[in-house]
Amino acid sequence: MKKVNSSLIFLVILVFACKSKNPQVDHLIIPEESTNSATLSSLVQEVSYIPLTGDPSQLPNEIDKAMFMDQLIILGDFNFSQSLYAFDKQSGEFVPMPLRKGEGPNEAREISDFWIDKNFIYVLDGIGRKILPIKFENGGFILQDPIGLELPLRKFAKIDSGFVGITGGGQDFTLVFVNPNGKVTTKHLPFSIEYLMNPINPFHQVKDGEKSTTLLHTQFSPIIYKVDQGELVEFKRFSYGGEPLAFPAKTDYPLDQEGFNQFRSTLQSQPSFFTLFEKTANQFLLFHILNEVPKMALVDGDSGVSFSFQNIKNDISFDQPFPKVIGINEDKFVAFISKEQINPTSAEFENASLKTIIDSNPNSLIFLVQFKLRLNSE
């Protein structure tokens, strides 16, 4: 009898152990595409707008990245103005930063990226091979001594052991970890056409309560990595149609446009070209291309939906098929809106919340919109 009880106990343990290893737990599932059309307002909730003000000559027309401090909103434009912009979190007013362009030791030749850690803003000068730390204390900025980099970086994040970054051209490896003095400690991801192009924001800081995780995604790898502990660790893999996305079978194409096109043609049968990925604790957005059609996946826990761009009507920011998401603020996605790029001829615009916000803030030329996904509604 004791043997039977022991066997039953073992069987129960085995069943629960097998259930705990459900592969879905380790996957970020890209939902199957819906053929229906939808307005964006039916897919989001808790939408709020933040007007930003300042001298028009000081305001950006484009923004690629947003991060938030206790008192400030920091925005980065890495393509057009190659500048950072600070705004007071309460008033939305422009706050000047002591960051200058130039060749000097405390100046940046190019602003390639930035990262916020506690009360520090770390600014990456990719061409100048350095990081400029700026401390925000007692309502003011204090420029710290620059950190020279052993290798050029294109994008980066601050972690406890130093920094992690995607390297510049001509390197044998795509990803490196460096110590607080800018010296390389380890190298990862052998350079190939798979990593030739990187998204504008490959590093992400995801907070779940007091826990913070730094993630990395690239444009063609189906794996999201954790990088906050000074090592490259698989976090989750994208899954589509009930199967994990496959790694590219061949990546040794010539590093030119023709080789890139050939490489991409091998990935048409599954989602790839992940140019946008943003994640909160329970939700994520993913822009990807499948069979040459751009799609947006929206996922909230176990619920999700994908739309081709032509089937989404943007009645939130009225500027493009989907708002330009540039970061997260706690559990909300953050997108950038320029007044000049809004299409006011849309039929829904006249009665939209955004129009009310614009009319109420005539001195604001740019806005941020925050929202959460709502995919479980009727």
Side-chain angles (χ1 to χ4, degrees):
M1 189 67 180
K2 288 183 179 179
K3 289 184 179 180
V4 173
N5 287 340
S6 298
S7 299
L8 286 174
I9 292 171
F10 175 77
L11 181 60
V12 170
I13 293 173
L14 180 63
V15 169
F16 277 97
C18 290
K19 285 186 177 180
S20 70
K21 292 181 180 180
N22 185 342
Q24 300 286 8
V25 172
D26 297 320
H27 293 166
L28 293 174
I29 299 173
I30 301 175
E32 299 283 353
E33 181 185 351
S34 170
T35 57
N36 298 326
S37 298
T39 56
L40 191 56
S41 58
S42 69
L43 302 171
V44 299
Q45 61 181 330
E46 299 183 30
V47 180
S48 60
Y49 297 92
I50 304 175
L52 302 178
T53 60
D55 187 312
S57 64
Q58 299 172 324
L59 300 180
N61 291 319
E62 290 286 348
I63 286 295
D64 299 310
K65 182 175 181 177
M67 296 189 80
F68 292 74
M69 305 178 74
D70 289 341
Q71 300 178 46
L72 298 175
I73 301 170
I74 307 297
L75 306 178
D77 172 16
F78 311 130
N79 292 297
F80 294 95
S81 65
Q82 293 189 347
S83 300
L84 285 191
Y85 303 87
F87 295 88
D88 182 83
K89 202 172 181 180
Q90 294 298 321
S91 67
E93 294 180 357
F94 177 81
V95 179
M97 293 182 65
L99 185 62
R100 296 182 179 180
K101 293 282 194 68
E103 304 284 340
N106 291 315
E107 297 176 332
R109 293 177 60 187
E110 173 193 80
I111 296 176
S112 311
D113 201 359
F114 76 94
W115 194 264
I116 290 175
D117 184 55
K118 300 180 177 65
N119 61 334
F120 276 87
I121 306 166
Y122 294 91
V123 183
L124 174 64
D125 178 1
I127 293 180
R129 289 198 184 192
K130 62 188 174 186
I131 295 170
L132 297 169
I134 303 175
K135 188 176 184 180
F136 185 73
E137 189 173 57
N138 299 322
F141 297 100
I142 306 171
L143 195 61
Q144 310 287 296
D145 291 336
I147 301 170
L149 293 170
E150 185 177 352
L151 290 179
L153 300 180
R154 292 182 288 169
K155 301 292 176 182
F156 84 130
K158 176 72 175 70
I159 57 177
D160 289 343
S161 61
F163 303 91
V164 57
I166 292 179
T167 63
Q171 307 302 316
D172 293 332
F173 289 85
T174 305
L175 187 87
V176 295
F177 290 92
V178 302
N179 65 21
N181 297 319
K183 302 297 182 182
V184 174
T185 56
T186 58
K187 301 178 181 180
H188 303 266
L189 305 178
F191 189 82
S192 72
I193 200 164
E194 182 182 1
Y195 300 103
L196 179 63
M197 297 179 66
N198 61 280
I200 291 176
N201 294 317
F203 294 102
H204 311 272
Q205 188 178 61
V206 178
K207 294 184 178 180
D208 187 0
E210 295 298 318
K211 182 181 178 182
S212 179
T213 304
T214 304
L215 303 178
L216 163 73
H217 91 280
T218 63
Q219 289 194 153
F220 297 104
S221 173
I223 290 181
I224 304 295
Y225 295 98
K226 285 180 60 177
V227 294
D228 50 329
Q229 298 302 310
E231 56 183 350
L232 195 64
V233 178
E234 182 173 338
F235 173 63
K236 292 188 178 182
R237 182 183 296 197
F238 286 127
S239 176
Y240 179 75
E243 297 291 336
L245 294 187
F247 281 95
K250 175 180 168 61
T251 60
D252 58 342
Y253 293 94
L255 299 180
D256 55 24
Q257 186 63 49
E258 183 179 354
F260 176 69
N261 292 338
Q262 292 174 346
F263 169 62
R264 276 202 58 207
S265 69
T266 67
L267 300 173
Q268 288 186 3
S269 62
Q270 69 175 35
S272 65
F273 204 42
F274 312 121
T275 57
L276 168 69
F277 171 74
E278 291 290 347
K279 188 180 187 312
T280 65
N282 300 309
Q283 302 183 331
F284 76 84
L285 298 172
L286 177 70
F287 171 86
H288 65 280
I289 290 181
L290 177 60
N291 295 322
E292 302 299 329
V293 178
K295 303 177 187 297
M296 180 62 72
L298 303 88
V299 178
D300 178 4
D302 295 330
S303 301
V305 63
S306 291
F307 290 96
S308 66
F309 268 23
Q310 65 183 7
N311 288 335
I312 298 181
K313 190 164 189 178
N314 178 5
D315 58 344
I316 296 296
S317 59
F318 298 93
D319 58 341
Q320 49 191 349
F322 197 90
K324 185 178 180 180
V325 177
I326 55 176
I328 58 172
N329 183 20
E330 297 179 348
D331 60 348
K332 292 185 178 182
F333 299 100
V334 179
F336 175 75
I337 307 172
S338 171
K339 188 174 178 181
E340 292 182 353
Q341 297 173 355
I342 294 173
N343 176 19
T345 63
S346 173
E348 291 84 3
F349 183 73
E350 185 62 32
N351 298 314
S353 298
L354 179 57
K355 184 179 186 301
T356 302
I357 294 293
I358 291 174
D359 291 344
S360 302
N361 297 272
N363 295 325
S364 295
L365 300 178
I366 58 176
F367 302 82
L368 298 180
V369 56
Q370 301 183 121
F371 61 89
K372 295 170 63 175
L373 301 180
R374 179 182 57 198
L375 305 179
N376 290 315
S377 60
E378 62 281 353

